[in-house]
Amino acid sequence: MANVVVIYNTVTGFSRTFGEWIAEELGAELVPCAESKRLDLPSYDLIIYGAGVRMSAMRGFSDFRKQLKAAGLEDSGKVIVWASGGTPQTPERDWKVPASTFTKEELAKSRYPFFYFEGGVRYEGLNPVEYRLLKIFSKRVQKYRHRGEWAAAVADEIAQGYDHSSRDAIAPLIVKAHEILGAA
């Protein structure tokens, strides 16, 4: 069996949920990001990193990038990255999160296969500053309901929070993982 690790960075729990599902599907070890520095990353056949999105960028990826670089894994082809966020998957979301997270070189080389999963919004777990910012955002987003069906849906649910996470969403990532492991 392949040696796979799923590393997740979460604040409100959505990334942990997706990480658990991915780990179950692949028979992988599940590790919180805070504990990932203890790992011998080169010993894994596949490394999967996931985190929540804040302001279109993935939480903690710059630190994780440093771990990959220190381990000599940035061009290994055995790293998959996924993000979870509160907005539905849209063509804009497919480029906006990677563009805000990855370097120009990483994007140009398509260094890390990337997947986005819609989770939702939870106020529990947020620090007071993020809690307040999200509440302000939830009031502001009401003005943009005219921008489309997804904007109206976000505006309707953001005030109380919501959970749109689905285990089915991870299917493309699982396919890619098996593809990478089959080539190894």
Side-chain angles (χ1 to χ4, degrees):
M1 182 169 240
N3 192 15
V4 179
V5 64
V6 176
I7 300 167
Y8 68 92
N9 187 340
T10 194
V11 172
T12 60
F14 287 104
S15 295
R16 180 184 176 115
T17 298
F18 284 112
E20 288 171 346
W21 291 337
I22 294 165
E24 287 171 13
E25 288 290 324
L26 296 172
E29 181 180 354
L30 180 68
V31 178
C33 188
E35 298 174 18
S36 67
K37 288 183 175 41
R38 69 169 173 80
L39 299 174
D40 177 23
L41 291 178
S43 71
Y44 290 95
D45 300 315
L46 181 61
I47 301 158
I48 303 172
Y49 177 85
V53 173
R54 180 172 181 269
M55 304 298 287
S56 297
M58 291 179 63
R59 293 178 183 270
F61 188 78
S62 59
D63 289 336
F64 185 67
R65 176 188 293 116
K66 291 174 189 168
Q67 282 183 262
L68 292 174
K69 188 171 184 175
L73 296 171
E74 54 283 53
D75 286 312
S76 67
K78 61 181 196 174
V79 178
I80 295 175
V81 177
W82 58 270
S84 64
T87 58
Q89 186 168 1
T90 63
E92 178 182 318
R93 182 67 49 215
D94 290 345
W95 66 264
K96 196 169 190 177
V97 173
S100 297
T101 302
F102 301 136
T103 65
K104 289 179 183 177
E105 180 183 357
E106 289 166 345
L107 289 169
K109 291 183 174 182
S110 298
R111 184 174 281 164
Y112 307 115
F114 175 78
F115 299 86
Y116 176 82
F117 308 132
E118 179 186 3
V121 171
R122 281 192 193 119
Y123 290 92
E124 302 83 24
L126 294 176
N127 67 46
V129 172
E130 287 184 328
Y131 178 91
R132 188 164 177 85
L133 287 172
L134 189 55
K135 283 296 189 177
I136 290 167
F137 176 74
S138 74
K139 289 179 183 173
R140 289 185 62 208
V141 78
Q142 302 302 323
K143 298 175 186 175
Y144 300 100
R145 301 173 66 77
H146 67 280
R147 289 196 174 175
E149 188 177 311
W150 72 270
V154 169
D156 288 343
E157 296 178 325
I158 197 168
Q160 285 76 37
Y162 57 93
D163 183 348
H164 290 176
S165 55
S166 167
R167 190 177 184 125
D168 294 340
I170 68 170
L173 184 148
I174 300 303
V175 168
K176 184 65 174 178
H178 286 299
E179 187 180 297
I180 290 170
L181 292 169

PDB file of all heavy atoms in Angstrom, residues 82-97:
ATOM      1  N   TRP A  82      -5.337  21.316  -2.103  1.00  0.00           N
ATOM      2  CA  TRP A  82      -6.754  21.639  -2.196  1.00  0.00           C
ATOM      3  C   TRP A  82      -7.102  22.722  -1.180  1.00  0.00           C
ATOM      4  O   TRP A  82      -6.423  22.891  -0.177  1.00  0.00           O
ATOM      5  CB  TRP A  82      -7.641  20.412  -1.976  1.00  0.00           C
ATOM      6  CG  TRP A  82      -7.433  19.722  -0.672  1.00  0.00           C
ATOM      7  CD1 TRP A  82      -6.560  18.705  -0.424  1.00  0.00           C
ATOM      8  CD2 TRP A  82      -8.063  20.000   0.582  1.00  0.00           C
ATOM      9  NE1 TRP A  82      -6.630  18.350   0.898  1.00  0.00           N
ATOM     10  CE2 TRP A  82      -7.549  19.126   1.535  1.00  0.00           C
ATOM     11  CE3 TRP A  82      -9.030  20.930   0.976  1.00  0.00           C
ATOM     12  CZ2 TRP A  82      -7.950  19.133   2.856  1.00  0.00           C
ATOM     13  CZ3 TRP A  82      -9.438  20.933   2.303  1.00  0.00           C
ATOM     14  CH2 TRP A  82      -8.902  20.038   3.220  1.00  0.00           C
ATOM     15  N   ALA A  83      -8.148  23.460  -1.501  1.00  0.00           N
ATOM     16  CA  ALA A  83      -8.629  24.520  -0.617  1.00  0.00           C
ATOM     17  C   ALA A  83     -10.116  24.346  -0.398  1.00  0.00           C
ATOM     18  O   ALA A  83     -10.831  23.845  -1.272  1.00  0.00           O
ATOM     19  CB  ALA A  83      -8.356  25.884  -1.239  1.00  0.00           C
ATOM     20  N   SER A  84     -10.566  24.768   0.768  1.00  0.00           N
ATOM     21  CA  SER A  84     -12.006  24.803   1.031  1.00  0.00           C
ATOM     22  C   SER A  84     -12.380  26.230   1.382  1.00  0.00           C
ATOM     23  O   SER A  84     -11.605  26.950   2.013  1.00  0.00           O
ATOM     24  CB  SER A  84     -12.388  23.846   2.159  1.00  0.00           C
ATOM     25  OG  SER A  84     -11.789  24.234   3.378  1.00  0.00           O
ATOM     26  N   GLY A  85     -13.555  26.622   0.932  1.00  0.00           N
ATOM     27  CA  GLY A  85     -13.999  27.982   1.194  1.00  0.00           C
ATOM     28  C   GLY A  85     -15.499  28.077   1.270  1.00  0.00           C
ATOM     29  O   GLY A  85     -16.217  27.088   1.075  1.00  0.00           O
ATOM     30  N   GLY A  86     -15.976  29.254   1.527  1.00  0.00           N
ATOM     31  CA  GLY A  86     -17.397  29.474   1.721  1.00  0.00           C
ATOM     32  C   GLY A  86     -18.174  29.774   0.466  1.00  0.00           C
ATOM     33  O   GLY A  86     -19.393  29.796   0.487  1.00  0.00           O
ATOM     34  N   THR A  87     -17.484  30.002  -0.645  1.00  0.00           N
ATOM     35  CA  THR A  87     -18.196  30.317  -1.878  1.00  0.00           C
ATOM     36  C   THR A  87     -18.257  29.097  -2.787  1.00  0.00           C
ATOM     37  O   THR A  87     -17.380  28.237  -2.738  1.00  0.00           O
ATOM     38  CB  THR A  87     -17.526  31.484  -2.629  1.00  0.00           C
ATOM     39  OG1 THR A  87     -16.172  31.137  -2.901  1.00  0.00           O
ATOM     40  CG2 THR A  87     -17.578  32.760  -1.824  1.00  0.00           C
ATOM     41  N   PRO A  88     -19.288  29.021  -3.608  1.00  0.00           N
ATOM     42  CA  PRO A  88     -19.403  27.885  -4.532  1.00  0.00           C
ATOM     43  C   PRO A  88     -18.247  27.863  -5.524  1.00  0.00           C
ATOM     44  O   PRO A  88     -17.616  28.892  -5.790  1.00  0.00           O
ATOM     45  CB  PRO A  88     -20.721  28.151  -5.267  1.00  0.00           C
ATOM     46  CG  PRO A  88     -21.465  29.098  -4.409  1.00  0.00           C
ATOM     47  CD  PRO A  88     -20.433  29.922  -3.699  1.00  0.00           C
ATOM     48  N   GLN A  89     -18.003  26.699  -6.072  1.00  0.00           N
ATOM     49  CA  GLN A  89     -16.971  26.582  -7.093  1.00  0.00           C
ATOM     50  C   GLN A  89     -17.494  27.240  -8.361  1.00  0.00           C
ATOM     51  O   GLN A  89     -18.607  26.977  -8.808  1.00  0.00           O
ATOM     52  CB  GLN A  89     -16.645  25.119  -7.367  1.00  0.00           C
ATOM     53  CG  GLN A  89     -15.484  24.964  -8.304  1.00  0.00           C
ATOM     54  CD  GLN A  89     -14.984  23.533  -8.356  1.00  0.00           C
ATOM     55  OE1 GLN A  89     -15.513  22.661  -7.706  1.00  0.00           O
ATOM     56  NE2 GLN A  89     -13.970  23.318  -9.145  1.00  0.00           N
ATOM     57  N   THR A  90     -16.693  28.128  -8.902  1.00  0.00           N
ATOM     58  CA  THR A  90     -17.022  28.839 -10.142  1.00  0.00           C
ATOM     59  C   THR A  90     -15.751  28.919 -10.975  1.00  0.00           C
ATOM     60  O   THR A  90     -14.656  28.720 -10.444  1.00  0.00           O
ATOM     61  CB  THR A  90     -17.514  30.276  -9.855  1.00  0.00           C
ATOM     62  OG1 THR A  90     -16.436  31.005  -9.242  1.00  0.00           O
ATOM     63  CG2 THR A  90     -18.729  30.293  -8.941  1.00  0.00           C
ATOM     64  N   PRO A  91     -15.863  29.221 -12.255  1.00  0.00           N
ATOM     65  CA  PRO A  91     -14.639  29.384 -13.048  1.00  0.00           C
ATOM     66  C   PRO A  91     -13.692  30.420 -12.443  1.00  0.00           C
ATOM     67  O   PRO A  91     -12.480  30.241 -12.452  1.00  0.00           O
ATOM     68  CB  PRO A  91     -15.163  29.831 -14.415  1.00  0.00           C
ATOM     69  CG  PRO A  91     -16.540  29.244 -14.489  1.00  0.00           C
ATOM     70  CD  PRO A  91     -17.073  29.302 -13.078  1.00  0.00           C
ATOM     71  N   GLU A  92     -14.245  31.503 -11.870  1.00  0.00           N
ATOM     72  CA  GLU A  92     -13.399  32.517 -11.238  1.00  0.00           C
ATOM     73  C   GLU A  92     -12.648  31.929 -10.045  1.00  0.00           C
ATOM     74  O   GLU A  92     -11.475  32.184  -9.840  1.00  0.00           O
ATOM     75  CB  GLU A  92     -14.245  33.702 -10.771  1.00  0.00           C
ATOM     76  CG  GLU A  92     -13.413  34.764 -10.069  1.00  0.00           C
ATOM     77  CD  GLU A  92     -14.263  35.916  -9.569  1.00  0.00           C
ATOM     78  OE1 GLU A  92     -15.164  36.374 -10.291  1.00  0.00           O
ATOM     79  OE2 GLU A  92     -14.004  36.350  -8.441  1.00  0.00           O
ATOM     80  N   ARG A  93     -13.317  31.134  -9.250  1.00  0.00           N
ATOM     81  CA  ARG A  93     -12.709  30.535  -8.063  1.00  0.00           C
ATOM     82  C   ARG A  93     -11.586  29.583  -8.480  1.00  0.00           C
ATOM     83  O   ARG A  93     -10.585  29.453  -7.799  1.00  0.00           O
ATOM     84  CB  ARG A  93     -13.777  29.787  -7.255  1.00  0.00           C
ATOM     85  CG  ARG A  93     -13.307  29.166  -5.982  1.00  0.00           C
ATOM     86  CD  ARG A  93     -12.893  30.135  -4.901  1.00  0.00           C
ATOM     87  NE  ARG A  93     -13.867  31.162  -4.673  1.00  0.00           N
ATOM     88  CZ  ARG A  93     -13.560  32.415  -4.346  1.00  0.00           C
ATOM     89  NH1 ARG A  93     -12.324  32.785  -4.194  1.00  0.00           N
ATOM     90  NH2 ARG A  93     -14.494  33.305  -4.173  1.00  0.00           N
ATOM     91  N   ASP A  94     -11.743  28.920  -9.615  1.00  0.00           N
ATOM     92  CA  ASP A  94     -10.737  27.977 -10.081  1.00  0.00           C
ATOM     93  C   ASP A  94      -9.388  28.634 -10.364  1.00  0.00           C
ATOM     94  O   ASP A  94      -8.374  27.968 -10.325  1.00  0.00           O
ATOM     95  CB  ASP A  94     -11.221  27.237 -11.333  1.00  0.00           C
ATOM     96  CG  ASP A  94     -12.355  26.264 -11.020  1.00  0.00           C
ATOM     97  OD1 ASP A  94     -12.571  25.945  -9.836  1.00  0.00           O
ATOM     98  OD2 ASP A  94     -13.032  25.834 -11.969  1.00  0.00           O
ATOM     99  N   TRP A  95      -9.357  29.914 -10.675  1.00  0.00           N
ATOM    100  CA  TRP A  95      -8.073  30.589 -10.900  1.00  0.00           C
ATOM    101  C   TRP A  95      -7.724  31.564  -9.787  1.00  0.00           C
ATOM    102  O   TRP A  95      -6.556  31.840  -9.551  1.00  0.00           O
ATOM    103  CB  TRP A  95      -8.030  31.298 -12.251  1.00  0.00           C
ATOM    104  CG  TRP A  95      -8.968  32.459 -12.393  1.00  0.00           C
ATOM    105  CD1 TRP A  95     -10.207  32.450 -12.958  1.00  0.00           C
ATOM    106  CD2 TRP A  95      -8.765  33.810 -11.944  1.00  0.00           C
ATOM    107  NE1 TRP A  95     -10.782  33.691 -12.877  1.00  0.00           N
ATOM    108  CE2 TRP A  95      -9.914  34.556 -12.258  1.00  0.00           C
ATOM    109  CE3 TRP A  95      -7.717  34.463 -11.296  1.00  0.00           C
ATOM    110  CZ2 TRP A  95     -10.058  35.903 -11.960  1.00  0.00           C
ATOM    111  CZ3 TRP A  95      -7.856  35.819 -10.991  1.00  0.00           C
ATOM    112  CH2 TRP A  95      -9.017  36.522 -11.331  1.00  0.00           C
ATOM    113  N   LYS A  96      -8.714  32.109  -9.093  1.00  0.00           N
ATOM    114  CA  LYS A  96      -8.446  33.157  -8.119  1.00  0.00           C
ATOM    115  C   LYS A  96      -7.670  32.637  -6.903  1.00  0.00           C
ATOM    116  O   LYS A  96      -6.708  33.265  -6.462  1.00  0.00           O
ATOM    117  CB  LYS A  96      -9.757  33.798  -7.664  1.00  0.00           C
ATOM    118  CG  LYS A  96      -9.568  35.117  -6.965  1.00  0.00           C
ATOM    119  CD  LYS A  96     -10.903  35.819  -6.775  1.00  0.00           C
ATOM    120  CE  LYS A  96     -10.682  37.227  -6.302  1.00  0.00           C
ATOM    121  NZ  LYS A  96     -11.929  37.950  -6.167  1.00  0.00           N
ATOM    122  N   VAL A  97      -8.062  31.515  -6.343  1.00  0.00           N
ATOM    123  CA  VAL A  97      -7.348  30.979  -5.177  1.00  0.00           C
ATOM    124  C   VAL A  97      -5.917  30.584  -5.549  1.00  0.00           C
ATOM    125  O   VAL A  97      -4.984  30.995  -4.859  1.00  0.00           O
ATOM    126  CB  VAL A  97      -8.122  29.814  -4.521  1.00  0.00           C
ATOM    127  CG1 VAL A  97      -7.291  29.166  -3.420  1.00  0.00           C
ATOM    128  CG2 VAL A  97      -9.445  30.309  -3.956  1.00  0.00           C
TER     129      VAL A  97
END
